[in-house]
Amino acid sequence: MTIKEIQDEIVDEFSMFDDWMQRYEYIIELGKTLPLIDEKYKTEENIIKGCQSKVWLQGEEQDGKIMFTADSDAILTKGIIAILIRTFSNQKPSAILEANTDFIDEIGLKEHLSPTRANGLVSMIKKIKMYALAFEAKN
């Protein structure tokens, strides 16, 4: 699937919920499905700066695509990074760099987060794009 197709799928999923309490619960459920990051990657280097809670993000290249794993010590944040990993993992660096993140506004996520969590979300996206940039430059 392309990034856009995955984003459209996420927008459709969120549109099924009537209120934000249901959406928060869904985000928390998504966090429980996050593939666990290997403990060796829970390093200072992989912590996303600007997040209220601790979020570790690790990316590695496999067959020209970036595979991300992540974890967080907060359940809601874990769900947020799970949405981003679902969107951007297993994609080519160029596709990640070209992708927009309008779907986050479409599902209303940013506006329903505290300012510090919204900043954290932006920091997560930046870190994902930085991985893509690094892998793109390597090739």
Side-chain angles (χ1 to χ4, degrees), residues 7-126:
Q7 291 174 342
D8 290 344
E9 197 176 82
I10 291 168
V11 169
D12 287 346
E13 288 167 14
F14 273 80
S15 70
M16 293 187 291
F17 300 108
D18 297 327
D19 63 43
W20 263 94
M21 282 315 294
Q22 292 174 323
R23 289 178 183 192
Y24 285 132
E25 287 171 19
Y26 184 61
I27 292 169
I28 289 166
E29 285 305 310
L30 290 174
K32 292 176 184 173
T33 68
L34 189 64
L36 285 182
I37 191 170
D38 193 310
E39 286 297 316
K40 70 180 179 189
Y41 295 123
K42 284 190 173 184
T43 62
E44 194 61 37
E45 181 184 297
N46 288 332
I47 284 185
I48 296 177
K49 309 285 184 262
C51 284
Q52 175 178 320
S53 47
K54 283 191 175 171
V55 181
W56 297 269
L57 177 71
Q58 196 272 331
E60 58 187 48
E61 195 173 20
Q62 292 177 1
D63 302 323
K65 295 181 177 181
I66 304 177
M67 308 306 281
F68 290 104
T69 57
D71 196 9
S72 175
D73 60 357
I75 55 171
L76 186 64
T77 309
K78 199 171 189 166
I80 294 167
I81 195 70
I83 290 169
L84 296 177
I85 285 183
R86 176 175 161 194
T87 305
F88 296 111
S89 195
N90 201 23
Q91 299 290 337
K92 291 183 173 162
S94 57
I96 294 170
L97 291 170
E98 292 166 10
N100 71 46
T101 53
D102 293 346
F103 80 105
I104 291 168
D105 294 327
E106 283 183 56
I107 63 176
L109 184 57
K110 210 182 288 179
E111 70 188 68
H112 285 90
L113 294 175
S114 67
T116 50
R117 280 228 164 85
N119 286 344
L121 172 62
V122 170
S123 296
M124 291 178 208
I125 293 167
K126 272 188 194 157

